[in-house]
Amino acid sequence: MKNSIQKVGFVSLGCPKAGSDSERILTQLRAEGYQISSSYEDSDLVVVNTCGFIDSAVQESLDAIGEALNKNGKVIVTGCLGAKKDVVTSAHPSVLAVTGPHAMEEVMTHVHAHLPKPHDPYTDLVPPQGIRLTPNHYAYLKISEGCNHRCSFCIIPSLRGDLVSRPIGEVMNEAEALVNAGVSEILVISQDTSAYGVDVKYRTGFWNGRPLKTHMTALSKALGELGVWVRLHYVYPYPHVDEVIPLMAEGAILPYLDVPFQHASPRILKLMKRPASSENNLTRIKAWRDVCPEIAIRSTFIVGFPGETEDDFQQLLDFMEEAQLDRVGAFTYSAVDGAKANELPDHVPEEVKQERLSRFMEVQERISAAKLQAKVGRIQTVLVDEITTDDSDNIIAIARTKADAPEIDGVVYLQDAEGLNPGDFVDVQILGADGHDLVGGPPED
Ligand code: SF4
């Protein structure tokens, strides 16, 4: 017989934005007195937060739902795949309920219907910063949901809807609670961080009684006062992005911009229907570096988009040589079910896509390696993520510089790391570099 504590199993799939949804649902479950169980068998019900972005993610989500049904039987589905309810219910007709993404209230309604709220909610057991899935020393801060753009390769707006900005006071309260709980780095995420506040006409909100505009610049300034690392992700190169670069130069926020350029040929950017596609990005990058020479720029690109000619691709390579970006991710175009780009003519043959991707990576790897090599000998402040041991049982730390976001960029390996702990900031000297990561040690006198 199960005991009287209601236990909920939770499976979280997908990107950091989905992870942030999971954290909210988990926090609410704990706030209402449910216990989070780590096994299907021991749970009274399972919530599966799904991803529906590409075919392999859909399959992974359907498999996870199937496993939860087999081992437990009572399953509520939420998340991006939940927006396509029929895909879920035709594969798994016995699920209890299906909701779309960012639907914490709806999920809780279904949980209440199938597993009544415990009588005595242990609200005092929930830490004020909520339940987080990331390590204790860094946290993602989601500032908005959805997106007003309609990039032709993307189905996120149809899954997550139009932009809805969270009130700035609420965002800042969450950030402050995270810092009070010991977080050393806040990573600002959304689908389009530069668009923060557009939907509410940059309405003025309040944080600790102080008026603040719902705008990326005001938010960055306020976050910069919290005394931790603040990193901006998914920033489109609109003119007002220039306003946050001085904050980076002053050290208020990290000198790091994650700008998903996706391509450099104006013709392809137009076919992609990219936001800010008419901006002269090379000029912008140069101006940013003039104001903040230390800035690290990360970006992602799609190679082999429908209609991409050799000439378009060459423009992309020329851009890479000129832009000298610090960190780059690249993918070949792959058709996402429901994306408008599938209807475009002149799809690029798979072998041409692969050949272009390897030429692209060759150029970028050379640039990234040279950029890392230029750091050798310099003193850098790093944030320790993990303490581990090497093959000879020496204690080493895995850390990151200001130029490296967790999970997507490189790391710094620190030898002789006794006494260091995750979340510590430490000044180190960079002793070596390979194509992706750095090795560091105590600064020489
Ligand atoms: S900006 Fe474009 S790629 Fe990003 S979520 Fe919006 S539609 Fe998708």
Side-chain angles (χ1 to χ4, degrees):
M1 190 183 89
K2 286 185 173 154
N3 66 28
S4 59
I5 297 170
Q6 279 98 327
K7 293 184 183 171
V8 178
F10 202 96
V11 181
S12 183
L13 304 170
C15 63
K17 280 153 264 187
S20 182
D21 284 350
S22 294
E23 288 170 349
R24 283 158 164 257
I25 299 168
L26 286 166
T27 300
Q28 192 58 30
L29 285 166
R30 284 286 303 278
E32 294 187 11
Y34 292 95
Q35 208 175 79
I36 310 303
S37 167
S38 55
S39 82
Y40 291 122
E41 290 82 356
D42 190 40
S43 305
D44 297 291
L45 173 154
V46 178
V47 178
V48 182
N49 188 6
T50 58
C51 176
F53 191 47
I54 53 171
D55 291 351
S56 60
V58 170
Q59 198 48 52
E60 186 191 13
S61 295
L62 289 175
D63 291 349
I65 298 166
E67 194 186 350
L69 279 171
N70 275 340
K71 295 195 173 154
N72 181 283
K74 290 175 86 178
V75 176
I76 292 171
V77 176
T78 183
C80 284
L81 183 60
K84 295 181 190 159
K85 191 173 176 181
D86 48 330
V87 174
V88 177
T89 49
S90 57
H92 298 298
S94 59
V95 293
L96 298 176
V98 182
T99 85
H102 54 95
M104 188 264 283
E105 274 97 9
E106 224 186 312
V107 171
M108 290 311 299
T109 306
H110 291 302
V111 171
H112 297 153
H114 296 282
L115 189 64
K117 241 177 172 178
H119 284 308
D120 178 18
Y122 298 114
T123 46
D124 50 334
L125 294 184
V126 180
Q129 77 278 17
I131 311 286
R132 289 185 296 110
L133 301 175
T134 45
N136 285 333
H137 61 281
Y138 67 82
Y140 293 98
L141 181 67
K142 183 151 73 168
I143 60 169
S144 59
E145 291 289 358
C147 181
N148 284 348
H149 303 297
R150 295 294 180 264
C151 299
S152 57
F153 55 81
C154 178
I155 54 165
I156 283 176
S158 66
L159 296 176
R160 294 188 161 240
D162 281 340
L163 176 77
V164 179
S165 299
R166 290 180 63 202
I168 189 155
E170 190 184 304
V171 171
M172 284 308 301
N173 285 341
E174 185 176 330
E176 209 174 11
L178 289 168
V179 174
N180 290 339
V183 160
S184 307
E185 177 176 4
I186 288 176
L187 301 111
V188 174
I189 54 166
S190 66
Q191 304 297 345
D192 174 2
T193 295
S194 349
Y196 180 55
V198 166
D199 54 318
V200 292
K201 303 198 169 49
Y202 306 117
R203 160 173 81 204
T204 299
F206 290 88
W207 171 51
N208 291 339
R210 172 175 141 197
L212 276 185
K213 259 174 107 180
T214 313
H215 188 278
M216 182 178 75
T217 309
L219 176 69
S220 302
K221 272 188 194 152
L223 289 172
E225 293 169 19
L226 297 177
V228 295
W229 278 10
V230 175
R231 196 181 291 282
L232 302 183
H233 284 284
Y234 315 118
V235 178
Y236 290 99
Y238 293 110
H240 70 266
V241 173
D242 297 357
E243 295 168 10
V244 297
I245 311 296
L247 298 175
M248 296 181 181
E250 288 160 18
I253 61 172
L254 287 178
Y256 180 97
L257 259 195
D258 175 5
V259 195
F261 289 119
Q262 306 297 16
H263 212 283
S265 150
R267 202 179 67 81
I268 296 297
L269 286 169
K270 218 165 156 208
L271 287 174
M272 288 178 165
K273 295 200 175 357
R274 289 297 287 164
S277 63
S278 58
E279 296 294 326
N280 184 337
N281 290 329
L282 284 175
T283 311
R284 308 293 300 290
I285 291 169
K286 185 175 176 312
W288 294 340
R289 288 197 174 123
D290 285 346
V291 176
C292 180
E294 296 191 77
I295 192 170
I297 303 173
R298 144 167 277 274
S299 192
T300 45
F301 292 88
I302 296 174
V303 172
F305 189 77
E308 184 190 73
T309 61
E310 182 56 30
D311 182 51
D312 294 313
F313 179 65
Q314 194 54 51
Q315 288 183 50
L316 175 57
L317 292 186
D318 293 346
F319 173 87
M320 301 310 290
E321 295 282 7
E322 275 288 303
Q324 295 282 305
L325 304 177
D326 297 80
R327 295 287 188 187
V328 166
F331 309 90
T332 53
Y333 173 76
S334 90
V336 173
D337 206 17
K340 283 267 180 283
N342 301 342
E343 295 157 22
L344 289 170
D346 305 323
H347 280 244
V348 177
E350 198 51 45
E351 63 277 13
V352 178
K353 285 187 202 168
Q354 292 303 338
E355 185 260 344
R356 286 183 186 164
L357 179 65
S358 55
R359 280 160 68 199
F360 178 94
M361 290 317 293
E362 228 169 82
V363 170
Q364 185 52 38
E365 274 162 17
R366 171 166 47 75
I367 294 168
S368 296
K371 291 225 152 208
L372 289 181
Q373 201 58 43
K375 295 189 176 173
V376 175
R378 291 209 207 147
I379 310 282
Q380 304 257 302
T381 303
V382 298
L383 174 58
V384 176
D385 275 337
E386 198 185 325
I387 303 295
T388 179
T389 50
D390 64 12
D391 295 342
S392 323
D393 278 344
N394 298 314
I395 297 178
I396 60 165
I398 301 177
R400 283 177 294 110
T401 69
K402 294 176 183 174
D404 297 301
E407 293 169 38
I408 50 175
D409 294 329
V411 298
V412 188
Y413 294 100
L414 302 177
Q415 309 295 335
D416 305 325
E418 279 96 312
L420 292 179
N421 291 300
D424 285 352
F425 289 109
V426 52
D427 283 347
V428 302
Q429 184 148 23
I430 304 302
L431 304 172
D434 64 15
H436 197 251
D437 299 317
L438 299 164
V439 176
E444 286 167 13
D445 293 326

